[in-house]
């Protein structure tokens, strides 16, 4: 008797048609997405450990790995030879991080740098930059105007202005931010953005890899921005999720896009979280297969929820760390369910259309 389903597979129109026709296999995919979300990522840890070590291990084909914020840290793990060990270092290091009671941005950034150094050492950096089968694309947001300031009040004013611009139209975010895409390998990321937010490409090198990943995860007001990244346009870079929180761009790739996600409905950008009418476009998810925990699985976790950044302030470390590590352990069930579903001859019966309305 099959155990209760804990993972739901969603697919866009083209992706669903292909699965119905051909089943589900690793060679169908040529891109992988990792979203922002901080410790929400812990619920996907079990999946992350098997994706590149097991699921994609024998395909022999190139995979473009795209990440913002926490997804950028994960992406830096996937492009290393032992991605499972890297993910385990990330999960342990992040889940056991302890800050002072009211940490300043300098402290949070310093701890982030320490975490990244433990996840990507010099050996890992070389593996990433020389990996011909795993191409890394790290997305950050280069700041314009007041949002570039490290003054709390100026930055708040700049974020308020950016929020108003975004409310009028996502395309207006270009007045406050540029999408900066740091990439390894030969090819740039090919994508379509109907909102036409200004984008720029920067080649990843030995001298800017760590800066790019840190910039992608540098949450406004919470962390310091990363200034004047090597081989990139001058300026201050912040969290990639500001523009691409859960992504609302179509990845133009030869195959499908695999997207493990902690939520069942993606949200375009950071400022769109409170705009319920702002949804991702169907075209953006036409070729996407999204994996997400079921509501029942989430309800079974401690406190009936997946971790989030509020846990840092609402729980002490003695409560938070065991809770987060319990979620990491429970996430192994998602990996087990994933393989059970895709190895079923009737896998298409497990797949639902992606939900874009909130």
């Amino acid at each position: 008797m099959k155990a209760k389903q804990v993972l739901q597979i969603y697919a866009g129109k083209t992706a669903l048609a292909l699965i119905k026709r051909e089943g589900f296999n690793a060679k169908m995919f040529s891109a992988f997405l990792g979203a922002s979300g901080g410790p929400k990522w812990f619920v996907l840890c079990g999946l992350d450990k098997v994706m590149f070590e097991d699921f994609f291990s024998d395909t022999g084909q190139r995979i473009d790995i795209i990440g913002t914020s926490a997804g950028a840290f994960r992406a830096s793990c996937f492009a290393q030879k032992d991605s499972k060990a890297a993910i385990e270092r990330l999960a342990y290091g992040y889940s056991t991080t302890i800050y002072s009671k009211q940490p300043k941005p300098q402290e949070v950034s310093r701890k982030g740098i320490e975490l990244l150094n433990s996840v990507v050492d010099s050996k890992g950096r070389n593996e990433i930059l020389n990996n011909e089968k795993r191409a890394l694309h790290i997305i950050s947001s280069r700041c314009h105007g007041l949002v570039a300031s490290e003054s709390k009040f100026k930055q708040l004013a700049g974020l308020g202005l950016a929020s108003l611009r975004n409310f009028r139209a996502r395309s207006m975010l270009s007045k406050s931010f540029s999408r900066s895409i740091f990439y390894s390998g030969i090819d740039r990321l090919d994508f379509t953005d109907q909102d036409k937010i200004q984008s720029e490409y920067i080649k990843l090198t030995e001298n800017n890899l760590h800066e790019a990943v840190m910039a992608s995860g540098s949450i406004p007001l919470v962390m310091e921005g990363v200034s004047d990244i090597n081989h990139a346009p001058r300026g201050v870079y912040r969290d990639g999720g500001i523009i691409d929180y859960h992504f609302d761009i179509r990845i133009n790739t030869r195959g499908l896009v695999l997207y493990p996600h902690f939520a069942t409905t993606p949200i375009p950008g950071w400022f769109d979280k409170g705009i319920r009418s702002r949804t991702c476009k169907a075209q953006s998810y036409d070729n996407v297969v999204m994996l997400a925990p079921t509501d029942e699985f989430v309800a079974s976790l401690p406190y009936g929820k997946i971790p989030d950044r509020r846990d840092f302030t609402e729980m002490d470390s003695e409560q938070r760390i065991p809770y987060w590590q319990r979620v990491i352990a429970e996430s192994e069930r998602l990996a087990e369910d994933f393989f059970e579903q895709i190895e079923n001859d009737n896998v298409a019966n497990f797949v639902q259309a992606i939900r874009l309305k909130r």
Side-chain angles (χ1 to χ4, degrees):
M1 180 173 163
K2 183 185 183 300
K4 194 165 186 178
Q5 186 174 328
V6 296
L7 178 77
Q8 180 60 56
I9 303 175
Y10 298 94
K13 185 177 180 180
T14 294
L16 183 56
L18 185 61
I19 292 170
K20 287 180 176 178
R21 190 168 65 247
E22 300 182 10
F24 198 112
N25 65 80
K27 290 186 177 180
M28 300 168 70
F29 299 94
S30 54
F32 186 97
L33 281 179
S36 305
K40 293 177 183 177
W41 158 71
F42 291 137
V43 78
L44 303 175
C45 185
L47 282 169
D48 281 357
K49 287 196 288 186
V50 301
M51 279 296 143
F52 288 86
E53 288 294 308
D54 299 305
F55 183 61
F56 286 126
S57 62
D58 297 325
T59 63
Q61 61 191 31
R62 168 182 157 136
I63 301 288
D64 287 304
I65 307 168
I66 305 127
T68 61
S69 200
F73 276 71
R74 294 164 60 206
S76 70
C77 296
F78 298 140
Q80 296 182 55
K81 286 185 178 179
D82 192 344
S83 64
K84 180 179 178 181
I87 284 290
E88 288 176 339
R89 292 195 299 273
L90 176 61
Y92 178 79
Y94 192 9
S95 67
T96 57
T97 296
I98 298 174
Y99 300 110
S100 59
K101 285 189 177 180
Q102 292 183 319
K104 293 184 177 181
Q106 294 88 340
E107 178 185 348
V108 181
S109 291
R110 177 173 53 79
K111 296 269 186 165
I113 292 169
E114 291 172 359
L115 173 62
L116 181 57
N117 286 338
S118 72
V119 173
V120 184
D121 59 13
S122 59
K123 179 173 177 287
R125 182 175 57 212
N126 290 332
E127 290 174 355
I128 291 169
L129 295 174
N130 294 292
N131 195 331
E132 297 179 356
K133 298 297 183 182
R134 306 285 184 259
L136 197 59
H137 306 269
I138 300 299
I139 300 178
S140 181
S141 303
R142 185 161 64 90
C143 302
H144 307 305
L146 291 173
V147 286
S149 175
E150 293 300 340
S151 160
K152 179 179 179 180
F153 300 105
K154 289 182 179 179
Q155 195 179 147
L156 272 169
L159 290 169
L161 178 59
S163 180
L164 288 172
R165 286 168 169 166
N166 178 77
F167 185 79
R168 291 184 62 187
R170 256 180 65 79
S171 59
M172 292 188 69
L173 273 178
S174 287
K175 293 181 178 294
S176 297
F177 302 98
S178 296
R179 176 190 285 120
S180 301
I181 306 168
F182 295 82
Y183 69 101
S184 67
I186 300 172
D187 300 322
R188 297 178 173 185
L189 180 65
D190 185 9
F191 67 96
T192 301
D193 176 12
Q194 291 186 39
D195 295 310
K196 295 181 170 55
I197 295 171
Q198 179 180 331
S199 300
E200 60 196 13
Y201 292 89
I202 304 103
K203 183 74 172 175
L204 281 169
T205 69
E206 187 174 334
N207 295 324
N208 68 15
L209 174 60
H210 278 65
E211 292 177 313
V213 177
M214 274 303 301
S216 186
S218 293
I219 306 164
L221 300 174
V222 176
M223 302 172 70
E224 295 178 300
V226 179
S227 300
D228 299 335
I229 295 176
N230 282 297
H231 313 299
R234 290 181 62 83
V236 174
Y237 294 76
R238 301 195 190 275
D239 201 306
I242 294 171
I243 299 172
D244 298 298
Y245 187 55
H246 296 166
F247 302 101
D248 190 18
I249 56 177
R250 177 186 171 86
I251 306 300
N252 299 318
T253 182
R254 66 185 182 282
L256 301 181
V257 181
L258 189 60
Y259 185 16
H261 195 28
F262 46 80
T264 56
T265 304
I267 299 170
W270 193 51
F271 293 109
D272 299 318
K273 291 186 286 183
I275 309 175
R276 293 194 63 83
S277 61
R278 184 71 56 79
T279 58
C280 293
K281 302 169 189 66
Q283 182 193 30
S284 298
Y285 283 81
D286 179 63
N287 62 346
V288 173
V289 174
M290 192 165 75
L291 313 176
T294 63
D295 292 341
E296 293 76 13
F297 174 79
V298 173
S300 74
L301 296 174
Y303 310 107
K305 71 177 190 69
I306 61 176
D308 58 62
R309 283 199 301 114
R310 289 175 297 182
D311 297 338
F312 276 117
T313 56
E314 296 179 0
M315 299 180 182
D316 58 34
S317 57
E318 288 78 12
Q319 180 186 15
R320 174 181 57 81
I321 293 173
Y323 159 45
W324 282 7
Q325 294 188 334
R326 169 76 181 278
V327 172
I328 292 168
E330 289 293 314
S331 74
E332 303 283 350
R333 294 167 56 199
L334 299 185
E336 294 170 4
D337 199 11
F338 171 68
F339 284 112
E340 186 170 346
Q341 290 186 52
I342 67 172
E343 290 168 3
N344 191 299
D345 291 338
N346 299 313
V347 60
N349 294 336
F350 296 108
V351 184
Q352 296 182 12
I354 283 180
R355 303 173 185 175
L356 298 178
K357 290 186 178 181
R358 291 193 265 170

